[in-house]
Amino acid sequence: MKIAYISTYPPRECGLATFNQNLVNALALNTAYEADKSFIVAMNESDDLNEHQYPQEVRFVIRQQNQHDYLEAANFINNSEVDACIIEHEFGIFGGESGVFLLSLINNLKKPFITVLHTVLKEPNFMQQTIIKEIAAKAAKIVVMSKKAVLFLTSIYQIPSTHIQLIEHGVPDLEPSVDNELLQTDLFKGRKVLFTFGLISRNKGLETVVKALPSIVKKRPEVLYVILGNTHPGVVKHNGEEYRDSLKYLAKKLGVENNIAFVNKFVSESELHQYLTACYLYITPYLNEAQITSGTLSYAVGAGAAVISTPYWHAQELLADDRGKIFDFKNDEQLATIVNDLLENEQNHIKLKENAYRYGLKLRWPEIGNTYINTLNEAISSVSKPKREIPPIIDVERMPALNLSHIELLTDDTGIIQHAKFGIPNLKEGYCIDDNARALILVLLAYEQDKNKKALKLMPVYLSFIQYMQLEDGNFRNFLSFNRNYLDEVGSEDSFGRTVWSLGYLICAAPNNSYREFGRELFSNSVRHFKDLKYIRSIANTIIGVSYYLKAHDGDELLIEEINRLSAVLVDAYRKNKEDKWHWFEDILTYDNAILPLALLSHYEVTGNLESLEIAMESIEFLNSFSFENGYLNPVGNAGWMKKHGKNPVYDQQALETMAMVLLYHKAFEITRDNKYLNLMHISYEWFLGRNSLHIPLYDFETHGCADGLQFNSVNRNQGAESTLAYFISHLTVLKAAEIEFQTLSSPLVDAEKVC
């Protein structure tokens, strides 16, 4: 048997890496296993492929946040000789929201695989739950390490129990040494050692043990609490040794600083076994029950240690039948009582150790490894794997990676430059609030997607530009020269509406309260001008902005009244212009057309107004009737526009028009969950990538900008802010839709060639 393992791996210091290495070694003991043709696909937390000096069994490295690596890893495995794969799953080791990038790997994997779930959440969010369901749908078997995990998977995730294999956490195949050298060291000699090991962080609750020490030491002054392990790398990165220092300070304050010792190192399993067999009591004082698997607890039981623990899920199971003692979360008094009782009653102490040792025999890695071999044999011999009834429409891995370098190039400390000559910023054209408002939406979307640091850095630039352009009465200027001179007294209604949209979205999706409050102040100052809007596109943009505001402040009666009044203007325009075969708001389709039905969908979303929904869906179907041909999007061209009962002039096609179509179909899909709109959204997005009438991509893979338009025989090679922002907003909108797509989609796919 030849196996590929997908997980972290030493020398990376983490529990999954140790588990994976132990599993590899355990399977290697089986005579059917071919070690030389098996290999590791290691998960790297950074983009530096040389971050860890991996051993030779690591044949492929996936950079956690590099989407392309997952697809390449699947190809690498598919082209190898392996018979099956083992995927060690923990949300935090894979890229994308909740580790969603893993799904692209498994959807392209042609080898059978089993997945070991190291975390099963009782209250998963939507993404976490759908990811686990998707993994289960593709895996030959889901392996968990506790009965509670089985219960959660069947009741919360609706995974059949027949698809789940319970295999407990393995432990080292070691016997207590006859002459444990640790007992003769200064640390242990003459001491009753209470022991905890593992990566140190606040959720471990070590302060509970420190607080219990005074009551213990008062009766048994020889007691020493030994904490073995380094501080968790993530904790060190953000907080240094603050937690460890706080424990030392607490011990000193309580007068037990001589009864606590830190051993700051990462030890081998054989050395750890020495500690576990030398200590008097092993303690895991975790702070809450949501711990489905604990490798440290398994190791302690496997070593035959007397264990005391808080009642987290794994501890409740593993320490049942008098294999350990339980105390309540954060209850140092109860812990002290249990410790003192065991120090006084040696027979009870010995009984705990014996019960743990006997149970631990079946947890040793050779036996656990054989169970995994049997599970893999079943996976390999299975005739077919579960398949999704509906394949995904959006293949995230085949989308270009998000690269904001051109956006950065266009942005200086004032704002984003309007235009570019080819890919070079055209400083002569200066700035406009339209583009800075769109840029704000883009960086908010990018930060929502993957906590993009570049986006967060750019955010205050666009915010400060908008603030600089706001007049004292709350209205906005639009144009600013490169030398920061205002070029207009008051901006257009369109620019006003787009700015309100961006501020509404900021209030709904800001990364912190400071930005949210800043946006709310600018937004509130502008509300007085809503009543003066005359043009339907500015009204539509404003409606969308108000809808986002109301998602954050759903009880604001003034804004509810405003959005109802503004939407009534669009409804009235539609009723006046609608004819038998003309279902539109005007007697001509010009620019940014899709925002009109998008605004009414947004109105419906926050108010439930059915008339707005009806008109929006009717006008969407009208747009569909002429916007698609031969499977690709043909947005309304700007060469004369599309007059009532006339034909779409097709060229020139603008990126802004395509972005509006993407946003419209995304919203329609959000509301209806009909994958007809998901499909139309994806087709519209692919216009940027070459699925258009000229089969030429407008997105430039070299500069990461977007061409300003599609002409009848070429593309406009200039890559200004409007078109580039339109591309990236569309890109991130598609990624958001891909997350929704993981839900069960019942509606049939639409054939784009038949839409018209």
Side-chain angles (χ1 to χ4, degrees), residues 621-631 750-756:
E621 291 307 309
F622 175 67
L623 266 182
N624 293 348
S625 68
F626 58 81
S627 296
F628 296 90
E629 181 181 352
N630 300 321
V750 66
D751 184 344
E753 295 184 17
K754 296 180 180 178
V755 171
C756 54

Side-chain angles (χ1 to χ4, degrees), residues 108-119:
N108 285 279
L109 199 58
K110 297 178 182 177
K111 307 281 186 176
F113 69 92
I114 64 172
T115 302
V116 184
L117 300 182
H118 289 259
T119 295

Side-chain angles (χ1 to χ4, degrees), residues 531-567:
K531 67 181 185 304
D532 301 322
L533 297 174
K534 300 176 182 178
Y535 301 106
I536 61 173
R537 281 167 182 75
S538 58
I539 289 171
N541 279 297
T542 303
I543 289 169
I544 296 166
V546 175
S547 74
Y548 281 117
Y549 178 93
L550 288 172
K551 287 182 179 181
H553 303 282
D554 59 0
D556 192 315
E557 294 297 331
L558 172 63
L559 270 300
I560 292 173
E561 182 179 335
E562 284 293 333
I563 199 172
N564 286 336
R565 183 184 62 78
L566 292 168
S567 298

Side-chain angles (χ1 to χ4, degrees), residues 77-319:
I77 295 168
N78 291 338
N79 292 325
S80 73
E81 297 181 60
V82 299
D83 302 300
C85 303
I86 298 176
I87 299 175
E88 307 286 345
H89 183 270
E90 180 72 66
F91 288 108
I93 72 168
F94 300 106
E97 183 182 347
S98 301
V100 70
F101 289 173
L102 174 64
L103 298 185
S104 61
L105 189 156
I106 66 175
N107 275 284
N108 285 279
L109 199 58
K110 297 178 182 177
K111 307 281 186 176
F113 69 92
I114 64 172
T115 302
V116 184
L117 300 182
H118 289 259
T119 295
V120 181
L121 299 173
K122 184 179 181 181
E123 297 178 349
N125 62 32
F126 167 73
M127 280 297 293
Q128 291 163 341
Q129 185 173 28
T130 51
I131 286 169
I132 296 301
K133 285 183 174 181
E134 181 72 4
I135 290 171
K138 287 292 195 303
K141 214 77 167 177
I142 294 293
V143 175
V144 293
M145 304 181 201
S146 66
K147 296 175 184 176
K148 182 76 77 173
V150 176
L151 175 64
F152 287 173
L153 289 180
T154 54
S155 61
I156 299 169
Y157 300 81
Q158 292 83 50
I159 298 171
S161 59
T162 54
H163 201 56
I164 304 167
Q165 177 77 46
L166 173 59
I167 307 177
E168 292 194 70
H169 196 295
V171 302
D173 187 24
L174 298 170
E175 290 290 335
S177 57
V178 176
D179 184 19
N180 192 330
E181 296 178 357
L182 275 177
L183 293 171
Q184 302 306 315
T185 63
D186 292 339
L187 195 64
F188 278 78
K189 193 172 183 179
R191 296 281 201 167
K192 292 288 187 181
V193 172
L194 313 181
F195 181 55
T196 296
F197 81 93
L199 292 173
I200 296 174
S201 60
R202 282 199 175 274
N203 64 335
K204 299 298 176 68
L206 305 182
E207 63 275 9
T208 306
V209 185
V210 178
K211 290 176 182 178
L213 283 177
S215 298
I216 298 169
V217 171
K218 184 177 180 181
K219 293 185 176 183
R220 301 296 290 265
E222 75 275 19
V223 165
L224 178 69
Y225 180 37
V226 175
I227 300 171
L228 169 65
N230 295 320
T231 301
H232 193 286
V235 174
V236 172
K237 183 178 180 181
H238 294 100
N239 301 306
E241 293 292 352
E242 179 269 337
Y243 180 51
R244 188 189 297 268
D245 291 341
S246 73
L247 294 173
K248 292 178 181 178
Y249 175 79
L250 177 62
K252 185 174 182 179
K253 181 181 176 182
L254 296 174
V256 292
E257 66 267 30
N258 295 324
N259 299 90
I260 185 170
F262 291 89
V263 182
N264 307 347
K265 63 178 182 178
F266 192 84
V267 299
S268 66
E269 283 193 345
S270 59
E271 190 175 356
L272 174 59
H273 195 266
Q274 294 286 79
Y275 275 92
L276 287 168
T277 53
C279 73
Y280 190 80
L281 291 170
Y282 176 74
I283 304 175
T284 56
Y286 299 162
L287 296 178
N288 63 74
E289 66 176 359
Q291 179 99 7
I292 205 78
T293 304
S294 170
T296 59
L297 184 67
S298 297
Y299 277 31
V301 170
V307 180
I308 307 175
S309 176
T310 49
Y312 55 90
W313 293 325
H314 196 202
Q316 291 177 36
E317 289 185 31
L318 200 53
L319 301 184

Side-chain angles (χ1 to χ4, degrees), residues 473-492:
D473 69 355
N475 210 331
F476 299 94
R477 290 184 170 95
N478 191 9
F479 297 109
L480 188 74
S481 70
F482 182 65
N483 59 4
R484 298 184 181 178
N485 290 325
Y486 295 121
L487 298 178
D488 52 10
E489 291 300 318
V490 179
S492 66

